[in-house]
Amino acid sequence: MWISRYVCLFMVYCCMGWIYETIYCTVKGGKWENRGFLYGPACPIYGVGAVTVSVVVSLVKQANAVLVPWQIFVISVVGSAILEYVTSWALEKTFHALWWDYSRLPFNLHGRISLFTSLGFGFGGLLVVYIIAPFTEKMVDRVTPIWMEVLALLAVAVFVMDTTLTVTALLHFDRMVIRAEEAFNKNMEILVDNAVQRTVSLKQDFQSKQAYMTERLENMGVYVNPAIRRVRQLRYKDEERRRVGNHFLEVMRAKRNR
């Protein structure tokens, strides 16, 4: 009986958490956003947190003790931080994906938890203990034991089915992403190798052509150098003739002037 009761409470808290997350993220992002890990309207982490804090308060009451608000606040802050961190780590290791990231918030730990969100869940714990839990438990306790068993079994069946479909889809998607990444890396390696080989080939062709041109120029130098020397000799002889002719004209002019 008590198991069925907490199963029903868990599902109610899961749906409440989904409604809160969806409304908050939709208003913040300005567009519809279906939050949660599952396909259905449920956020299990909220169900676990709310049920846990309710159970702790109930156990303390059974021990003839009372938790004051600041103690409930501290328990909610610490418990939510542990629950968020462990859940985020498990989801990331299993599905290689992040369902939330607090990296941009100050005082965060690996982006999985942050001081301000944990404080917010602390106030949420107070809200659960003093407002939500009393109302929810009163509504659930109105259900007859038989129907509570039926609702609990139905909730478990739907939850397991939804979890199975979600995990299967995520694992399949994860494998697709891994295959796509491997194919991309392989194609990029082939592309880079081809580019490197082409660069080496062009460099070798350039070096061979450079060596060929150097050899041709050296061979041409054997024939060009004598021609250059002959041109230089002709220029020298022409200059000598010009000097001799100028000297002869100066001598003739001197004779005429006499």
Side-chain angles (χ1 to χ4, degrees), residues 24-57:
Y24 173 77
C25 295
T26 299
V27 172
K28 183 180 178 180
K31 61 180 180 179
W32 169 256
E33 186 171 351
N34 184 10
R35 296 292 295 176
F37 171 73
L38 303 175
Y39 286 126
C43 287
I45 191 171
Y46 284 90
V48 173
V51 169
T52 301
V53 71
S54 299
V55 169
V56 170
V57 172

Side-chain angles (χ1 to χ4, degrees), residues 7 30 42 58 73 77 80 103 112 118 129 161 171-172 184 187 203 206 235 245 247:
V7 168
S58 298
F73 179 81
V77 170
S80 65
S103 298
R112 306 185 191 280
S118 296
V129 172
M161 186 183 303
L171 289 176
H172 181 66
F184 175 78
N187 292 330
K203 184 177 180 180
F206 176 77
R235 285 181 180 177
H247 179 70

